[in-house]
Amino acid sequence: MTVEFQVLGSVEARAGGRLLDLGPARQRRVLAALLVEANQAVTTDQLIDRVWGERLPQRAAGTLRSYLTRLRTILTEAGGVGIQRRSGGYVLAVDEQTVDLHRFRHLLAKARASTEDADQLDLFEQAFELWRGEAFADLDTPWFTGVRATLDRELVAAELDHADIALRQGRHSELLPRLSAQTERRPLDERLAGQLMVALYRGGRQAEALQAFHHIRTALIEGLGIEPGAELRALHQRILAGDSALAAPAPDAPEANWRLLPRDIDDFTGRDAELDLVLDRLPAVPGASSAVVITAIDGMAGVGKTALAIRAAHQIADRYPDAQLFLDLHAHAEDHQPTDPAAALDSLLRSVGVPGEKIPHDLQARAGLWRKQLAGRKALLVLDNAASAAQVRPLLPGNPECLVLITSRNRLTDLEAAHILSLDVLPDGDATALFARIAGPDRAAAEPAAVAEVVALCGQLPLAIRIAAARLRSRPKWTVEHLATRLRDERRRLGELATGDSGVAAAFALSYQQLTPAQQRLFRLLGLHPGADFDSYAAAALTEDEEFTAETGLEDLLDVHLLQQQVAGRYRFHDLCRAHARQLLGCGETEDERQAALGRLCEYYRHTTATAMNALVPVDKHLRPDLPAATLAAPELTNRLQAAGWLEHERANLITTATHGLPGHAAFLSAALQHYLNFRGYYDDGQILHRKVIDLAHAAGDGGLEGQAQYRLGYVYWWQGRYPLALTHLQRGLELAEAAGLAGVQGYAQAGLGFTHRRLGRHEQALVHFQRALALAEQAADLSLQGHVLTGLGHTYPCLGRAEQAVEHLRRAVALAESTGDRQVDIGARIGLGAAYRGLGRYDQALAELDRALSVAKDTGDRGLHGYALRQLGDVCLDTGDLSAAGEHYQQALTLARAIGSPGHESEALVGLGETARCTGMFELALDYTQRAEALAGEVGDQFQQAVANRGLARTHHGLGQQREARKHWQRALDLFTELGMREADDIRGELAKLDVERAE
């Protein structure tokens, strides 16, 4: 039985490899408190204080006894350790050498008692290996906080003692990465600074040693108002003078078996697939491959590249027993230039025991000596924070028994034979798990929704999640929701994700500093883009560069992971990186320059939208405002396919720029995109766009502009089947257009009112509006509007018993559409012909017209008319008894209506499915469909569709023999049809009369 107390903060009991469940966090605190005092009595009061601090439960003593009982059971089952009751308290009887905390202190005592440097170093290293993170990371009572602080002081003292001995032994090159990292954490530690200065000086880096003195002197003066002590000042003078006595002692013999990997991260979370990729690339045994295995891990700042490399290195370290080396190449380090390959080789050669005087000055000679040193050895080399392939090439061994792991913010695609692994942010589950491990599982579990939001606001970036979770852990009074509130404001988010002088913004800043001035300007100006992604033409508009130049710059930013790419040719920011770019805007561009760049972006979108719509719907060109000649680069959109593709890619950006840009930009897009958004079923976008223009126009007192946006918004609601709302906005648009004298707008508003009244069953009113619209269209010679109005009349006449007149108008509409190329009118007119022929019993002609309409609708991508054609086909098939085809058409129509968010059309499809189910004898299914249809019609205020649905419900209940329910729904249908003044009311009266006869019989 072995009990491990992991200094990193988790308490585990293992027996035969089985992890025992220690239960709740407080129960784990009880065991931890006993382990700290192993084999010594701890009183009940002491345990209560250590486990709960000031947050005592009502029955603390009883709860403690319960925990102790459970722990005794767990530990007794495991064997070899137990909790005993003694006078004065409780004792955990255990071999202290099985407890990491006591083993750590025991190793330190042995190291300090030894008189041999080599033994001391080895004992210190064994002690350090027990540390894999912060002590008691998730145990946060005041007592544990005090123990944690004590342990931290013990660790720091041990590290300093170890460094003194290692320097005495000439191991300065090996120490440098560790000392550099420690000075960043403890910038006011004079002893540590002195050790770093000596190590740098002995490595031939006198200037950097002097700079290290300057850094701590500045920190002491600014932080404490004091100068460095006499000992550190004296060391500074000795380095200035080049004191030979400071030189490294000559080693007794070359060392060639160093294990210099940094400690693994205990709270490392996820990355299983990425680890598998790294490990799967290894040969079965080192050397089985004919070449050195090289894996280059790249990714944006803070994504966890180094953590992954170190985790992988520790997992396979036993396969490379001769050397396990780690070297920071400082590609992105504050106040530190990327390490020169020659200097890196100097450090590496010294780390494997080559005396300084035997290291040649020439780069190629050093590289050759390095390869010679590793010849025949199984060595693992981690090159962290690399700047380029050129920097690492001289450092690569030639021995295929070696493995090299490289991390870089740059894609090292030009590094020959390297396996490239690009890290993305963590997936949701792993990101949430990482937050919980650092913040504490109890706090995370209490607010799962807030945790998910915090992780999302961190962009699932490991560095950001670590900082956010650590802030929460260090602030016991905060809730996760409070942390989320602080992060929601983008302007302060990066500031919240910082600790001291480090954080997400600092990490991004180091990447930004490596860019050329042109790349920096591009990065900043891209922060102006309000959308989620962008292409090279948008970037060129922002920077006023050639498109090729902009594309090159975007690819450069992609290579250094300041941009992301999910689709070829399109680029996007990580959310936090975008926030950083926007913060930098004030550093490089004036307000006028920023506005000019945003104006160019909007100009690019207006011109390209006009080009795309002219290719896609040329018949509507007269509805789009005129634009001055284009001055910016734009893609070629010479056919419908290219135009549709561009609009699909840029739709979200167009809507976003409309809401963030100038009023004129929004007004243009409202006019230009109205038909595209409607026939593609992007109704939410249409609402956002037209409402924005309504608000702007109303605020400016521009009634004409508001009238245009109002009638367009009315059409959006018509396409959704929200007919009462459509009427409101169409009528308002008509009134404003009449007041402004806009005859063309009046015509489209009148037509919209006609279409809406027809769908509501108000056919006489619809006829009046269509006739007014036709007169206005003919007066303006607007052939497109004429085609739409003729189609509307053709759909209305059958409802008034004038089917032949309907066919005549619809044929005129088809002819007009063929002459103008108006495919939307062509589709709508053929759907109307299908309905008219169905009413006349000419089903073959109906199917032919509807099939043609469906084909054109699919070809144009008109999802609204596509669904309408499907519903009409379903009606014809239902009439002809082809129930299988009818059900298929209605189901497709239902799927399409839901996809585009049209509840009115969804209701119609459900009625069709209900009628089909009823005709096949599936009455319960018919009820389900039709009840849902009736509810949807009620939600959107469609009385006609409510009447149709109630008629269907009545028929279904009648088929089930439920005459009372049937009468209720027929009566409801009668009331609605009567209110609408429709002939269907007479049919319903006949059904009710039949019911009376059946009841009398």
Side-chain angles (χ1 to χ4, degrees), residues 10 154 171 535 563 586 646 669 795:
S10 65
E154 291 178 16
R171 292 169 57 175
D535 64 5
L563 289 179
W646 186 87
L669 292 179
H795 281 269

Side-chain angles (χ1 to χ4, degrees), residues 557-720:
L557 295 179
L558 184 66
D559 283 340
V560 298
H561 290 281
L562 285 173
L563 289 179
Q564 300 172 333
Q565 188 172 69
Q566 293 179 325
V567 177
R570 301 199 67 80
Y571 307 83
R572 63 189 301 130
F573 277 118
H574 183 276
D575 288 346
L576 297 177
C577 201
R578 178 191 289 108
H580 184 61
R582 288 175 177 170
Q583 284 187 359
L584 292 172
L585 274 167
C587 304
E589 283 70 37
T590 65
E591 178 61 24
D592 288 344
E593 288 171 331
R594 294 196 291 272
Q595 288 301 313
L598 189 57
R600 290 192 300 271
L601 179 68
C602 291
E603 179 188 344
Y604 158 68
Y605 280 131
R606 285 195 299 275
H607 274 284
T608 316
T609 297
T611 301
M613 290 303 297
N614 289 344
L616 199 62
V617 193
V619 71
D620 286 348
K621 187 174 181 179
H622 66 287
L623 297 177
R624 292 182 277 278
D626 293 330
L627 288 172
T631 60
L632 299 165
E636 259 190 60
L637 306 175
T638 57
N639 58 53
R640 293 173 52 82
L641 188 62
Q642 291 173 336
W646 186 87
L647 287 167
E648 285 297 300
H649 282 306
E650 297 293 351
R651 172 175 53 88
N653 285 333
L654 297 176
I655 303 303
T656 305
T657 56
T659 57
H660 288 78
L662 302 174
H665 181 63
F668 176 86
L669 292 179
S670 173
L673 291 173
Q674 58 171 324
H675 287 163
Y676 168 74
L677 296 176
N678 286 342
F679 74 64
R680 289 294 294 156
Y682 296 130
Y683 305 130
D684 289 345
D685 288 342
Q687 288 183 37
I688 293 170
L689 180 57
H690 304 319
R691 284 190 181 280
K692 177 67 175 180
V693 178
I694 289 170
D695 292 342
L696 291 169
H698 188 76
D702 190 337
L705 179 59
E706 183 183 350
Q708 295 175 61
Q710 287 280 6
Y711 98 76
R712 291 170 192 143
L713 183 58
Y715 271 99
V716 172
Y717 285 125
W718 183 88
W719 278 102
Q720 285 188 294

